[in-house]
Amino acid sequence: MAAVTKGKGSFIKQASILAAAGILVRFLGFVYRMPLTNMWGDEGNGIYSMGYYIYTFLLILSSAGLPAAISKLVSERIALREYRNAHRVFQASLVISITLGTFFAVSMAMAAKQIAVLSSFPDSYYALLTLCPTLIIVAIMSVYRGYFQGMHTMVPTAISQVVEQIFNAFFSVYLAYILLRTAIPKGASKNIALGVAGGTLGTGIGAAAGLVVVIFSYMMIRPYLLKRAKICRQSHEESRKELMRLLMQTALPIIVGTAVFSITNLIDAGMVMRILTSIGYSEAAARGMYGQLSGKFVTLTTLPVAISTAIATAAIPSIAASMKLKKTDQVNQKMNLTLRISMIISVPAAIGIGVLGPQILHMLFPNAPDGGALLTIGAISIIFLALCQTATGVLQGIGHIKVPVVGAVLGAIVKVILNAVLIPIPQLNILGAVLSTTGCYVVASAFDVYVLSRITHVRFDFMRILIKPFIGSCIMGAGALGVYYGLYHFLPNNIICTLTAIFIAMIIYGVVMLLIRGIGEEDLESLPMGRRIIHILHHCHMLK
C-alpha cells in the first residue's frame, strides 16, 4: 500500500487537496444560501433551482465530460512521456469548449422565455438570462482544470474553486439583496424574480474569478510546458483533428451519463409541480414544496458527496496512468482505497443528517425551517450517490466510460416510475420525490459497482468499505440524538445543541472506527492534515 499512498503526485494526496477545497467550497455555499433562503423563502428557492437546473443541463452538454476526458488523455500521454501530444490535448479541448460553450449560451439566451414558461416557473426567465455568459466561462475553465488534473496536480483546481465560491457568495447575496428591492410588483413586498437573477449573476462573477486563477496558474508554467513539449521524443505525433475526435469519443459517454441525472432533475420539477397541483395543492404551495426539495434536501444531501466527487476526480488520471503502464496491483489497491475513503466519509454524513435533519434546517434557515422530514427520510441517498460517483470515477479511469451511462439510464427510469407512483399518495406528496431519488441512486450505484467488480475481477472489501462505517455511524447517530435531547433539556437553544451534538458525534465516530479497525493509516493520509492526525494517534497509542 505504501507504493500507492506515497509520493508527491499520489492520487490520495491530490484527492486530499480537492476534498479540503470541496469542504471549504460547500461550507461557503451554505454560508451564502442561508441568507438567500431567508430572504426569498421556499418559493425563491424553487425559482432559483429551476433556472439553475436548466443551466446545469446545458453546462453538462457543453463541458461536463471535458475535465475527466482531458485528465485521462493527458495523464496517459504523460505516463508515456509524450509531452507534446499531452499539450495538444489541451489545445484541442480549448477549441471544443469555446465552440460548445458559445453555442449553448446563445441558444439559452434565445430560448430563455419559452424555457421558463414550459418549466412551470416563468419567473426563472431573468435567472436564465444572467446565467448565459457563465456557460462560456465555465466551459473554458473546465479545460484548464482538466489539464492540471491530468498532470496530477489538483492545487490550481482547488484554489480556483475556493476563489470562485468566495466571489460567488459575496456577489450572489449582495446582488440578490439589491434586486429584491428593485421594481417591486404591485401588492408584493419584494421582487423575487429579480432577486433570484441577482443570485445567479453572482454565479457568473464567481466563475470569472475562478477562470482568472487557472489562466494565471497556466501562464506561470507555460514556458516550462512548451519547452518540455518541444524537446521530447515521441514515436507518434497526434494531430489536433485526431485529438479532437478522441476527446469527443471519450467525453461523450461521460456527458450522456451525467446528462441523464440532470434530466431527471428537470423531469422531477415538472412531475412534482404537475402531480402536486393535480391532487389538490395550490400552485404556490407546490412551488414552495419543490423549493424545499431542491433548495434544502438536494443542497444538504449533496454536501458530503463533494468529497467523494473529489476522490473520484483525483482517481481518474491516477488509475488511467496505472492502467496504461499495466500496473494491475496498483489499480486494484487504488480502487479499493478510493471506495473505502468515500464511504468512510459519506456513511456517517448520511446518518448524521438523517437523525438531525429538522434541527439542522431550523439552525440554517430560521425564517424558512420547513422540510426536515425530507432529510430524515432521504438522507440515506447520500451513501448511494457517493458510491455511484466514486464508482463512475474508477470506471472512467480504467477506460469503461460507457458503463456509468447504462447505470444512469436505469436509475433515471426507476426515478420516473417511482415519482409517478409515490408522489400522488397524499400521505407522501413531496416525500415521494425523495424516495424516488434514493431508488434512482441505489439502482445506479449497484449496477456500477457490480459491473466494476466483474470487469476488473477485484474482490472489494465490503467489510471495511461499508459494514464498519455503517456500524460506527449507527453508534454515532444514537450518540448525536442523545447529546442533542439531553442538552436541550437543560439548555433549550437549538443552535447550541445542534452544533454540540454534531461535534461530539464526530468524535464518537472517529473513536468507534479506530476501535473496530475501520480506519487505518492509509485512510487518514487522505484527509487534510492526515499525517498530523496519525502522529497524534500514535502518540496516544490509538493507532497501530
Side-chain angles (χ1 to χ4, degrees), residues 453-518:
S453 178
R454 291 292 299 271
I455 289 172
T456 60
H457 304 290
V458 173
R459 296 187 64 180
F460 293 111
D461 185 3
F462 284 107
M463 175 60 72
R464 294 188 68 191
I465 291 174
L466 273 176
I467 297 176
K468 287 188 176 181
F470 185 73
I471 293 171
S473 299
C474 288
I475 297 172
M476 176 208 74
L481 280 177
V483 170
Y484 178 86
Y485 287 108
L487 184 59
Y488 196 85
H489 180 75
F490 298 101
L491 182 64
N493 183 297
N494 180 65
I495 295 177
I496 294 175
C497 293
T498 301
L499 291 176
T500 304
I502 292 172
F503 177 73
I504 294 179
M506 292 169 62
I507 296 174
I508 292 173
Y509 178 71
V511 171
V512 172
M513 286 294 284
L514 287 170
L515 290 175
I516 64 176
R517 298 290 186 267

Side-chain angles (χ1 to χ4, degrees), residues 239-267:
S239 67
R240 182 175 296 182
K241 183 178 180 180
E242 180 183 358
L243 288 170
M244 288 175 68
R245 184 177 65 253
L246 188 56
L247 274 165
M248 291 308 298
Q249 288 175 350
T250 308
L252 190 58
I254 300 172
I255 290 172
V256 173
T258 311
V260 170
F261 282 132
S262 180
I263 290 172
T264 61
N265 287 331
L266 296 175
I267 293 173

Side-chain angles (χ1 to χ4, degrees), residues 319-338:
I319 292 176
S322 297
M323 284 289 293
K324 198 72 175 179
L325 297 173
K326 303 186 186 305
K327 296 182 179 179
T328 308
D329 290 343
Q330 279 194 14
V331 173
N332 293 344
Q333 290 172 350
K334 289 174 182 177
M335 285 169 54
N336 262 294
L337 186 57
T338 300

Side-chain angles (χ1 to χ4, degrees), residues 15 169 347 397:
V347 175

Side-chain angles (χ1 to χ4, degrees), residues 158-373:
I159 294 174
S160 69
Q161 286 177 344
V162 173
V163 171
E164 177 185 356
Q165 191 69 306
I166 290 173
F167 277 77
N168 184 5
F170 175 80
F171 283 101
S172 292
V173 174
Y174 174 72
L175 293 173
Y177 177 81
I178 296 298
L179 293 180
L180 276 169
R181 289 154 177 78
T182 303
I184 299 174
K186 188 176 180 180
S189 60
K190 59 186 73 173
N191 193 330
I192 295 179
L194 283 184
V196 170
T200 53
L201 185 57
T203 302
I205 295 173
L211 178 60
V212 170
V213 171
V214 290
I215 290 178
F216 177 78
S217 301
Y218 170 75
M219 295 306 294
M220 291 284 289
I221 62 172
R222 186 172 182 268
Y224 164 74
L225 295 175
L226 293 179
K227 181 180 178 181
R228 185 176 68 172
K230 184 178 180 180
I231 65 175
C232 81
R233 296 180 180 179
Q234 51 190 46
S235 57
H236 174 59
E237 299 286 338
E238 294 174 295
S239 67
R240 182 175 296 182
K241 183 178 180 180
E242 180 183 358
L243 288 170
M244 288 175 68
R245 184 177 65 253
L246 188 56
L247 274 165
M248 291 308 298
Q249 288 175 350
T250 308
L252 190 58
I254 300 172
I255 290 172
V256 173
T258 311
V260 170
F261 282 132
S262 180
I263 290 172
T264 61
N265 287 331
L266 296 175
I267 293 173
D268 219 8
M271 293 186 73
V272 166
M273 292 294 297
R274 180 175 55 80
I275 296 174
L276 288 178
T277 53
S278 71
I279 62 175
Y281 288 96
S282 67
E283 191 169 311
R287 286 186 180 185
M289 294 169 76
Y290 175 72
Q292 293 173 20
L293 174 71
S294 58
K296 294 173 182 174
F297 171 75
V298 173
T299 301
L300 278 163
T301 54
T302 54
L303 168 64
V305 180
I307 301 173
S308 62
T309 302
I311 294 168
T313 301
I316 292 172
S318 179
I319 292 176
S322 297
M323 284 289 293
K324 198 72 175 179
L325 297 173
K326 303 186 186 305
K327 296 182 179 179
T328 308
D329 290 343
Q330 279 194 14
V331 173
N332 293 344
Q333 290 172 350
K334 289 174 182 177
M335 285 169 54
N336 262 294
L337 186 57
T338 300
L339 287 171
R340 189 165 70 250
I341 294 167
S342 178
M343 291 299 99
I344 285 173
I345 295 169
S346 301
V347 175
I351 301 298
I353 290 175
V355 300
L356 293 176
Q359 293 87 343
I360 291 172
L361 288 187
H362 275 273
M363 177 179 69
L364 296 176
F365 312 115
N367 295 337
D370 296 335

